[in-house]
Amino acid sequence: MGSLFNDYTLDGFFDEMFAAPGKPHPHYERLYRRLSELSRADFDDRIQLADISFLYQGITFTVYSAQEGIERIFPFDLVPRIIPQAEWQMLDRGLRQRVTALNMFLHDVYHEQRILHDGVIPLDLVLSSQGFSPLMMGVDPPGDVYIHISGTDLVRDEQGHYLVLEDNGRSPSGVSYVLENRTAMKRAFPRLFERSGVLPVEHYPQALLETLRNVAPRRADQPTVVLLTPGVYNSAYFEHSFLARQMGIELVEGRDLVTSENRVFMRTIRGLQPVDVIYRRIDDNFLDPLSFRSDSMLGCPGLFNAYRAGNVTLANAIGTGVADDKAIYPFVPAMIRYYLSEEPILNNVPTYRADNPVDRAYILEHLNQLVVKSVNESGGYGMLVGPHSTAEECTAFAEKIRANPRNFIAQPTLALSRHPAFVDGHFEGRHIDFRPYILQGRDITIIPGGLTRVALRKGSLVVNSSQGGGSKDTWVLEE
Amino acid sequence: MLSRVAESLFWMARYLERAEDVARIIAVNFQASLDAPSASQELTWEPMITITGDRDLFTAAFARYDAESVTSFLTLHPGNPNAIASCISRARENARAVREQISREMWEQLNRLYHSIVNADLATIARNPYDFFSEVRNGSHLFQGITDATMAHTEGWEFIQTGKFLERADQTARILDVKYNALVSNMGGETAPLASLQWIALLKSCSAFEPYRRAHSQLQAWRVVDFLLFDRTFPRSVAFCLDQTRDALRRISDSPLDRPANTAERLLGRLCAELTYLDIREALADLHMFLDDMQHKLNHVGDAIAQSYFDVNTMPAGVAAISRYVQAQQQQQ
């Protein structure tokens, strides 16, 4: 069969599409048949269709050089990832459970701190977390919701078990790609969608707006929701602008907002208009120069007082970074047991904390086998992938760990699952992860789908866009 | 609509219009210089710098008013904020800051224009200036057409109209001011017979030659001035542009003609009335003073628009209104 799958090898990894070479899993059969019919020229044509549609829609992220902003396309791989319904239901339950527990943890940390006093999580670990915000003590966010929007990073191991890698409770980005990937996919393969039973994701912006509206601070008939962006030079500005447009809300910058008497207003051509809910894509530290970093030009002076007075909702709440700290992440299963008296549906990746002396010794001895991460970094920065690093790099990293152990955790190098991707004119297996998006307002909503990121460099385990990653459309099937 | 957004749309349109008008001025000057004896190079090119009002910036970087220096200064010179490339770049920066407010097609067109202009080099422009300038002009026209055809004609669009027409009125007045004085002093009196190519060039720089010809059989100085100032059917005349600006502002404030909503509308209403009832002879008595006064008034209009819509500290529903709002809220609760 002269197909693009010729020479496709599994190399001992868990493959999302194939049980064995040439033998796709049942939920991939239809896609496999269709893709096998395509020649390289056919596939190149589809790529053209998709790439053009990306450029025209302005789906680019910006790389800034000395003077001139260069806009690049986030690489898009045309082979979709498929999740069968039963598997999705398990993920859906697991994610709900997890985000519910994280929200309860945040309430607890900023109120009674029972979980700390009961010794389930070390007190000093929480208090020393960069994401812990002392100003939030005793503050009651509207609806008691802290994590309105999260994007949990999931990976699959050699056996195909889903594991949680990170919880991302600080306004994660990427959801615009979920929507745009679907659009591009429909343009490139219109026929594939017919009768495939792919669940839609297009209602995400509406669900997000509903979530934000129903956590408004007061019983306003029509709460005014805005999206607060750091501005046009932020690398995720495209997404901010995209979501604001999709929701039909104002995209504001800090300088568009003004506070008076603990109320927040936006400057409009008709004068000042009250603002009720702020979906903010600015870090805690930059939100309000009066309460946090005084050199911030991005926020709005007085915002925190208005928030504490209960006159405006911030999504996500301030201080959720403490639940996002990679040194606290190992305790999430314990949180689930503590608050919900349930067993975790989704497991963690085994994690060593460098601030624990026993773990630290282990980490330093096994650096060349481990992935070491800074507890507050994201985007693939500040990490060491042991097996892919030189001895010098490991030694240098060991120094950093000894100097500031609280700042590092380590995990075994996972044999992440692979998925066919179109590389060099045919399909090859590439490592992938998965980020579904969870909305928490009065209820929890998870759109069936998410962002599947793919490490397009051969053998690479890093899927971030800044590190040579790309993305795929993700299909959750009806049945 | 956010004040910042309105302001960006306004300036996006102004800068693009300015780029187009600068291109028009140089393009037509190239044509005219072909007919001018080489001795008057200075006379042909110096007024270009006067029009754009950046004499100091020019003399800081260039020694002579010749075709090469002036073209360089007005097209790509990075130190000139009113150079075509700078204007298009600023138009694009304003558009980028409000990208979610404009249509995808508008952004694409402005982007395309930007990339082709910043990638141009002086040698190419010098080899074929006409291509470059018509690219700018056509690029601007295409953007205007796309704007009208793809953007909802709501407040944002009205601010675009306001910026575009206010700038165009200003530029037409500038072109007229500089060219008229140069031509009249050169020909020894405004009543001299005007078969000159220079007058044709002036009309052409405003795309006004053929419309003028259709309206008037004779080429006369006062008729040219009359046409460019007062003709209410020609889309680049000062009166036409100011009518459009006034109407756009009235649609924004939703105010009737006899009840101007703010200072900008009052200033514009007066200007439009002046242009309606003025005798051309009054203007010609001292055209420079008249046009200078006009430009001052246009600046005031620009300031007044900013005060009414862009700066919350000067708006009636601005900072001072907050206390009233909060009190009203508290009484309800």
Side-chain angles (χ1 to χ4, degrees):
Chain A
M1 57 161 201
S3 98
L4 295 169
F5 284 109
N6 277 356
D7 310 325
Y8 189 88
T9 54
L10 305 189
D11 304 328
F13 293 103
F14 181 86
D15 196 280
E16 298 282 346
M17 187 185 270
F18 294 102
K23 290 230 181 315
H25 294 293
H27 55 281
Y28 270 99
E29 256 165 25
R30 194 187 154 85
L31 177 70
Y32 173 71
R33 274 203 310 276
R34 182 79 184 93
L35 292 178
S36 300
E37 293 162 7
L38 296 176
S39 70
R40 173 165 185 184
D42 295 336
F43 208 81
D44 281 337
D45 286 349
R46 314 284 170 156
I47 290 178
Q48 284 262 308
L49 279 174
D51 273 1
I52 288 168
S53 94
F54 267 64
L55 255 191
Y56 280 2
Q57 291 170 64
I59 307 166
T60 53
F61 65 98
T62 312
V63 181
Y64 275 87
S65 58
Q67 283 194 327
E68 190 50 41
I70 306 165
E71 282 161 33
R72 296 214 182 127
I73 307 177
F74 184 36
F76 173 57
D77 182 69
L78 269 180
V79 189
R81 186 243 192 97
I82 300 179
I83 299 176
Q85 181 58 220
E87 205 168 287
W88 175 253
Q89 282 178 14
M90 182 275 293
L91 291 175
D92 184 88
R93 283 199 315 275
L95 293 166
R96 282 169 197 272
Q97 179 192 52
R98 201 160 168 112
V99 80
T100 304
L102 286 168
N103 203 70
M104 293 174 84
F105 168 70
L106 285 163
H107 171 92
D108 191 15
V109 159
Y110 292 120
H111 292 84
E112 305 84 7
Q113 301 190 334
R114 289 189 296 126
I115 199 166
L116 309 182
H117 297 307
D118 288 346
V120 179
I121 301 177
L123 178 74
D124 60 336
L125 194 66
V126 168
L127 297 186
S128 65
S129 171
Q130 273 183 38
F132 176 73
S133 183
L135 286 175
M136 282 298 287
M137 288 305 301
V139 175
D140 292 311
D144 201 26
V145 180
Y146 287 82
I147 303 184
H148 305 81
I149 299 118
S150 57
T152 303
D153 285 345
L154 296 166
V155 295
R156 297 181 85 175
D157 64 13
E158 309 78 326
Q159 282 87 42
H161 295 130
Y162 281 95
L163 298 171
V164 176
L165 201 58
E166 287 180 22
D167 291 294
N168 297 313
R170 288 173 294 180
S171 309
S173 60
V175 76
S176 54
Y177 294 109
V178 175
L179 303 175
E180 295 290 2
N181 286 356
R182 179 62 55 88
T183 306
M185 204 62 201
K186 282 183 169 168
R187 285 191 196 192
F189 288 106
R191 281 182 47 218
L192 256 183
F193 280 87
E194 293 167 12
R195 298 183 303 277
S196 280
V198 181
L199 289 172
V201 293
E202 286 84 349
H203 54 292
Y204 178 84
Q206 194 50 42
L208 175 58
L209 185 58
E210 285 306 313
T211 298
L212 294 167
R213 278 195 172 149
N214 69 34
V215 290
R218 55 194 162 76
R219 291 192 162 273
D221 286 342
Q222 288 293 322
T224 301
V225 181
V226 300
L227 195 159
L228 175 60
T229 172
V232 38
Y233 295 105
N234 186 274
S235 60
Y237 181 76
F238 158 70
E239 175 160 304
H240 306 162
S241 141
F242 176 87
L243 288 174
R245 257 178 304 158
Q246 294 282 316
M247 292 190 280
I249 63 174
E250 293 287 359
L251 178 64
V252 304
E253 296 178 19
R255 58 194 160 122
D256 295 321
L257 298 179
V258 58
T259 60
S260 178
E261 313 199 13
N262 286 341
R263 308 281 171 130
V264 182
F265 301 83
M266 58 180 165
R267 305 165 193 262
T268 78
I269 58 167
R270 312 279 177 219
L272 293 170
Q273 288 184 4
V275 170
D276 304 303
V277 181
I278 302 176
Y279 174 29
R280 48 97 174 202
R281 298 290 295 260
I282 294 182
D283 289 347
D284 288 0
N285 280 335
F286 294 93
L287 272 179
D288 179 353
L290 297 182
S291 300
F292 306 102
R293 275 180 66 155
S294 58
D295 61 343
S296 170
M297 306 292 283
L298 301 175
C300 166
L303 182 56
F304 183 71
N305 279 343
Y307 179 59
R308 188 159 50 189
N311 289 330
V312 68
T313 303
L314 291 173
N316 291 353
I318 292 171
T320 60
V322 67
D324 229 11
D325 186 320
K326 291 188 178 70
I328 290 174
Y329 151 92
F331 296 95
V332 176
M335 287 176 202
I336 292 171
R337 293 187 191 100
Y338 184 82
Y339 294 117
L340 304 175
S341 308
E342 293 173 11
E343 274 306 301
I345 298 167
L346 291 167
N347 285 312
N348 271 13
V349 175
T351 302
Y352 307 94
R353 288 169 25 229
D355 71 324
N356 174 322
V358 182
D359 283 8
R360 180 163 66 243
Y362 179 84
I363 294 171
L364 293 171
E365 274 166 41
H366 299 85
L367 265 186
N368 60 349
Q369 301 162 21
L370 297 169
V371 177
V372 191
K373 298 175 177 174
S374 307
V375 295
N376 287 304
E377 299 278 353
S378 59
Y381 293 105
M383 64 188 281
L384 176 89
V385 182
H388 296 182
S389 302
T390 63
E392 290 77 42
E393 284 166 338
C394 288
T395 313
F397 221 86
E399 275 314 303
K400 289 192 204 171
I401 295 170
R402 284 196 196 90
N404 187 5
R406 171 64 180 85
N407 196 40
F408 294 95
I409 56 118
Q411 294 164 340
T413 312
L414 296 173
L416 299 186
S417 66
R418 295 205 315 192
H419 194 288
F422 188 70
V423 190
D424 298 334
H426 68 150
F427 296 128
E428 282 183 26
R430 287 292 184 271
H431 296 293
I432 60 169
D433 79 350
F434 179 47
R435 178 182 286 184
Y437 292 86
I438 303 109
L439 299 173
Q440 185 171 217
R442 235 177 264 147
D443 312 299
I444 293 176
T445 310
I446 309 178
I447 52 159
L451 185 65
T452 292
R453 296 184 299 178
V454 48
L456 288 170
R457 285 189 204 134
K458 198 178 182 79
S460 171
L461 293 168
V462 188
V463 295
N464 305 88
S465 56
S466 48
Q467 316 281 332
S471 71
K472 292 172 167 293
D473 192 15
T474 307
W475 295 1
V476 173
L477 300 184
E478 213 167 18
E479 265 317 312
Chain B
M1 162 163 282
L2 292 174
S3 293
R4 175 179 54 83
V5 170
E7 190 171 14
S8 285
L9 292 171
F10 176 83
W11 282 106
M12 172 191 76
R14 274 201 90 152
Y15 283 127
L16 191 60
E17 181 65 33
R18 191 172 298 175
E20 180 190 328
D21 292 328
V22 172
R24 286 172 174 280
I25 295 164
I26 327 177
V28 80
N29 226 55
F30 259 103
Q31 296 277 333
S33 72
L34 298 178
D35 306 313
S38 57
S40 65
Q41 272 275 322
E42 180 101 350
L43 201 76
T44 311
W45 290 104
E46 192 268 351
M48 301 298 98
I49 303 302
T50 315
I51 290 176
T52 54
D54 301 309
R55 190 179 293 275
D56 293 345
L57 284 175
F58 179 83
T59 50
F62 299 94
R64 295 178 54 223
Y65 291 100
D66 55 17
E68 199 190 335
S69 309
V70 171
T71 305
S72 164
F73 182 71
L74 292 180
T75 53
L76 304 178
H77 188 61
N80 178 9
N82 290 318
I84 291 172
S86 310
C87 287
I88 290 176
S89 174
R90 286 197 279 174
R92 180 175 177 265
E93 281 309 304
N94 276 288
R96 181 208 277 279
V98 293
R99 212 168 131 180
E100 78 288 352
Q101 300 283 340
I102 61 176
S103 69
R104 193 184 77 212
E105 292 88 343
M106 289 166 70
W107 169 248
E108 279 171 21
Q109 168 54 19
L110 195 47
N111 229 2
R112 237 190 320 261
L113 180 61
Y114 167 81
H115 285 293
S116 82
I117 298 308
V118 295
N119 290 327
D121 63 89
L122 270 179
T124 318
I125 298 173
R127 227 177 4 257
N128 203 342
Y130 186 76
D131 276 2
F132 178 79
F133 298 123
S134 50
E135 186 172 1
V136 175
R137 209 171 50 218
N138 293 342
S140 164
H141 291 174
L142 187 51
F143 181 79
Q144 289 169 26
I146 288 172
T147 301
D148 290 354
T150 62
M151 185 178 179
H153 289 205
T154 51
E155 284 163 347
W157 185 82
E158 301 292 2
F159 276 104
I160 292 175
Q161 301 308 303
T162 307
K164 175 176 76 181
F165 282 112
L166 191 63
E167 180 69 22
R168 192 183 292 170
D170 187 61
Q171 294 291 339
T172 299
R174 276 169 196 265
I175 295 171
L176 198 52
D177 189 11
V178 175
K179 276 294 197 178
Y180 184 86
N181 281 298
L183 290 175
V184 168
S185 59
N186 199 25
M187 290 175 205
E190 56 175 274
T191 53
L194 299 167
S196 167
L197 291 167
Q198 296 272 5
W199 284 103
I200 296 173
L202 168 58
L203 284 167
K204 281 188 173 168
S205 73
C206 300
S207 295
F209 180 62
E210 290 175 23
Y212 175 89
R213 271 305 195 197
R214 263 192 290 276
H216 307 289
S217 55
Q218 285 177 307
L219 198 57
Q220 290 173 298
W222 75 270
R223 282 195 199 281
V224 172
V225 176
D226 186 80
F227 189 81
L228 290 179
L229 281 181
F230 303 136
D231 192 283
R232 284 202 143 83
T233 62
F234 179 62
R236 307 195 76 83
S237 82
V238 175
F240 183 97
C241 293
L242 292 184
D243 283 355
Q244 294 291 324
T245 313
R246 179 199 59 198
D247 292 348
L249 283 178
R250 271 180 41 219
R251 285 191 296 266
I252 291 167
S253 68
D254 201 20
S255 59
L257 193 52
D258 58 354
R259 289 230 174 264
N262 52 48
T263 311
E265 289 182 21
R266 274 188 287 275
L267 289 174
L268 266 171
R270 271 184 241 165
L271 263 178
C272 292
E274 194 182 346
L275 289 173
T276 303
Y277 296 109
L278 191 78
D279 186 322
I280 180 66
R281 281 169 297 194
E282 295 171 63
L284 286 173
D286 190 339
L287 189 66
H288 174 67
M289 194 138 100
F290 174 78
L291 291 172
D292 203 47
D293 183 52
M294 169 79 66
Q295 284 176 49
H296 274 112
K297 286 175 177 161
L298 294 181
N299 286 343
H300 288 152
V301 171
D303 293 344
I305 291 172
Q307 282 166 14
S308 297
Y309 292 110
F310 305 154
D311 183 356
V312 84
N313 295 308
T314 53
M315 289 157 63
V319 174
I322 287 186
S323 298
R324 289 199 300 278
Y325 166 80
V326 172
Q327 277 165 18
Q329 284 272 310
Q330 282 162 351
Q331 278 163 13
Q332 276 176 23
Q333 284 167 2

